[in-house]
Amino acid sequence: MSIKKIIVFCVLAMLPIFIFANELSGADSIETQKTLIKKKYKNNKQVFYGFSAHLDVASPLVNYLIDKSMLSFEAAVDVDLMHKYFPTFELGFGSADKINENNIHYKVNAPFYRIGLNFNILRTKNKDGEKKIFIGSYPYIGFRYGFSLFKYDLEGVVINDDYWGVSRPMEVNPKYLYAGWAELVAGVKVNMVKGFTMGWNIRVGLLSHTSRASLKSQLWYIPGFGKNNTVNVMFNYTFGYTFNYDSNKIK
Amino acid sequence: MKLLNTYSRMRKLLILLVALPVFWACNNDSECRQERYVAMEVKLFQTKFDAEEETYIVSNFMPDSISVYGVGNDSILYNGGIEKIKLPLRKTENLSQYVFYVNGRYDTIKVLHENIDNYLSMECGCVVFANINEVTHTNNAIDSAIIRVPEVINVSTTHVEIYYREDK
């Protein structure tokens, strides 16, 4: 990756942080304008506060930068429980069409899914035990379990017999496989205006299992996980909308 | 205090951000790290008749002069004093033949085997394992041949033992 690309990436990635920091400092003035919401928040026992939908724009870009033969799209829905816990469901589609230096052709196209939880690391109550006004912006950590059921094709596999000076093609039949992995997530989500959100997160994924362990090494790309490394680092940059938030009214 | 906490959290996030390109840099997986060399290992022995005890004595055999090559391929596989030989089986056929020239006498070894294709990965390609079914030979200097381990899946085992008669 060139220096220029890294700088552009860093600037884009830091944008929500600056906005988020600005919002934290300006939260008090918002609070005075919305006294009704403040009253509502006091001693509030409400659990469900709404849900959000997000579209990730980084996956296609990051995949392209790592290897042009990979493509991935994904979107997510999360539910706001007590402004603290955000159960999350993610759905995406990953594909790879790779021919390597040995002329082996690997093809896969399949949807993938992730379920998990984000945890708002900001305090949601003040020192008196009263709920703070939630402005829809928060940094979080979380975890996911990702899985995909996919079929992969291999073509162009050739057996070379160096000493005897001959070669022959080897046929590898298409195979169906289930792969599952775990992810740790850290990121930030910012309520930009009227419920429209921006955010990013970094994920560290650990490939845990495939339905046939002996075939694990044959995989080059796993939809939703990326290249078949033991550990993968992933990045999401999301745009979204939050439904049914009081924080939408604040904005 | 609140501001300090906020800065502390922001700092952790920034550290994660800065570390990201480092994680990417570690993900170089284009090299093959698996062992791909598979060959049939042959060990040489010599049998000697002990007239007093009326029994055969078997000992390791390292000929003074030995050269080995495949039938249909003039490339010498081994040349010189050695008692263990690694022979590449044919990956495209089920019969592999070798010529052994030991201390001035020629013998031909025929190995009948079943090949098993095994795809490893895009980086490593594939390997061909084999099951040895039968080993036959001429009898100029060789007395007998035994299949010790029929499954040829690596090079760390002696698969076939060849017994030479003692030079008169």
Side-chain angles (χ1 to χ4, degrees):
Chain A
M1 186 185 292
S2 70
I3 297 293
K4 193 179 171 185
K5 284 174 184 171
I6 291 172
I7 292 169
V8 170
F9 166 76
C10 288
V11 169
L12 284 172
M14 288 172 75
L15 184 61
I17 294 180
F18 293 137
I19 296 167
F20 180 54
N22 189 41
E23 284 196 356
L24 284 174
S25 62
D28 288 344
S29 60
I30 294 165
E31 194 175 353
T32 55
Q33 293 168 18
K34 302 292 174 184
T35 48
L36 283 175
I37 292 170
K38 189 176 179 183
K39 279 181 187 171
K40 182 183 169 185
Y41 265 73
K42 273 191 176 179
N43 304 316
N44 191 348
K45 302 291 182 190
Q46 189 176 343
V47 174
F48 174 73
Y49 282 95
F51 64 94
S52 304
H54 312 277
L55 183 69
D56 174 43
V57 294
S59 295
L61 183 67
V62 171
N63 277 276
Y64 182 83
L65 289 173
I66 294 173
D67 195 312
K68 293 179 179 61
S69 56
M70 302 190 298
L71 193 61
S72 185
F73 298 97
E74 61 186 78
V77 175
D78 63 56
V79 177
D80 182 352
L81 301 180
M82 297 178 282
H83 297 323
K84 195 71 180 171
Y85 307 101
F86 296 83
T88 302
F89 173 72
E90 294 169 345
L91 167 69
F93 187 85
S95 75
D97 193 338
K98 173 77 175 177
I99 300 174
N100 75 347
E101 64 277 7
N102 300 325
N103 284 322
I104 298 175
H105 193 175
Y106 180 92
K107 283 192 289 186
V108 64
N109 299 288
F112 60 86
Y113 313 91
R114 298 192 198 104
I115 51 173
L117 185 75
N118 287 339
F119 180 77
N120 175 6
I121 57 177
L122 290 182
R123 285 182 185 158
T124 54
K125 292 180 180 175
N126 63 24
K127 57 187 175 185
D128 299 324
E130 293 175 344
K131 277 199 172 178
K132 291 180 175 178
I133 286 186
F134 184 67
I135 56 173
S137 303
Y138 57 96
Y140 59 87
I141 55 173
F143 63 88
R144 302 280 187 278
Y145 174 74
F147 57 98
S148 179
L149 178 65
F150 56 94
K151 183 189 86 166
Y152 66 97
D153 291 285
L154 282 159
E155 293 170 0
V157 182
V158 174
I159 292 169
N160 292 311
D161 200 335
D162 295 333
Y163 176 73
W164 298 99
V166 289
S167 61
R168 67 174 166 88
M170 174 183 171
E171 193 172 326
V172 185
N173 294 324
K175 294 185 179 77
Y176 287 90
L177 214 61
Y178 173 92
W181 63 94
E183 293 178 9
L184 290 176
V185 187
V188 60
K189 187 182 133 189
V190 179
N191 184 5
M192 303 295 287
V193 58
K194 301 288 183 189
F196 287 96
T197 63
M198 273 176 74
W200 61 261
N201 63 59
I202 298 168
R203 295 154 184 259
V204 179
L206 180 71
L207 183 60
S208 55
H209 61 275
T210 53
S211 52
R212 288 170 70 186
S214 61
L215 301 180
K216 189 175 173 184
S217 66
Q218 295 192 0
L219 306 175
W220 182 79
Y221 175 88
I222 298 159
F225 182 75
K227 278 191 180 181
N228 184 12
N229 301 317
T230 309
V231 176
N232 265 348
V233 177
M234 294 159 264
F235 181 76
N236 293 98
Y237 197 97
T238 59
F239 291 92
Y241 184 76
T242 301
F243 299 89
N244 196 28
Y245 260 151
D246 285 335
S247 52
N248 292 1
K249 295 165 194 165
I250 294 171
K251 283 278 178 176
Chain B
M1 196 66 186
K2 182 183 170 186
L3 200 61
L4 276 175
N5 282 340
T6 306
Y7 276 132
S8 171
R9 284 173 185 143
M10 287 300 112
R11 194 162 163 260
K12 285 173 188 167
L13 289 169
L14 283 170
I15 288 168
L16 273 173
L17 182 69
V18 170
L20 185 64
V22 179
F23 284 122
W24 268 339
C26 295
N27 278 338
N28 183 5
D29 62 345
S30 59
E31 287 178 34
C32 176
R33 295 181 181 87
Q34 283 180 271
E35 178 58 62
R36 281 177 294 172
Y37 184 59
V38 177
M40 177 183 72
E41 185 180 277
V42 174
K43 190 173 182 186
L44 306 182
F45 293 90
Q46 192 168 47
T47 56
K48 183 179 172 183
F49 185 70
D50 186 337
E52 286 183 12
E53 299 286 334
E54 291 189 340
T55 184
Y56 283 94
I57 298 169
V58 176
S59 59
N60 292 340
F61 183 38
M62 189 182 293
D64 297 330
S65 118
I66 177 170
S67 96
V68 181
Y69 56 89
V71 174
N73 189 327
D74 291 337
S75 298
I76 301 287
L77 284 163
Y78 282 93
N79 203 0
I82 197 161
E83 63 177 18
K84 278 185 180 176
I85 301 165
K86 296 183 194 325
L87 301 176
L89 294 168
R90 280 184 181 269
K91 296 173 183 173
T92 57
E93 292 177 28
N94 292 332
L95 177 65
S96 303
Q97 298 184 73
Y98 309 90
V99 173
F100 280 58
Y101 181 67
V102 173
N103 295 342
R105 284 188 287 181
Y106 285 98
D107 272 298
T108 301
I109 308 279
K110 290 183 182 179
V111 182
L112 199 62
H113 53 90
E114 182 186 344
N115 290 328
I116 303 155
D117 298 345
N118 193 5
Y119 176 78
L120 297 174
S121 64
M122 281 189 84
E123 291 77 25
C124 298
C126 50
V127 293
V128 178
F129 299 147
N131 265 330
I132 302 170
N133 296 325
E134 188 181 7
V135 176
T136 56
H137 56 86
T138 55
N139 293 98
N140 294 325
I142 293 175
D143 179 69
S144 59
I146 294 174
I147 302 169
R148 188 59 69 190
V149 177
E151 297 88 15
V152 183
I153 58 171
N154 53 41
V155 288
S156 59
T157 310
T158 296
H159 302 99
V160 172
E161 294 174 351
I162 293 180
Y163 294 83
Y164 276 85
R165 287 188 297 274
E166 184 191 17
D167 291 332
K168 302 288 182 187

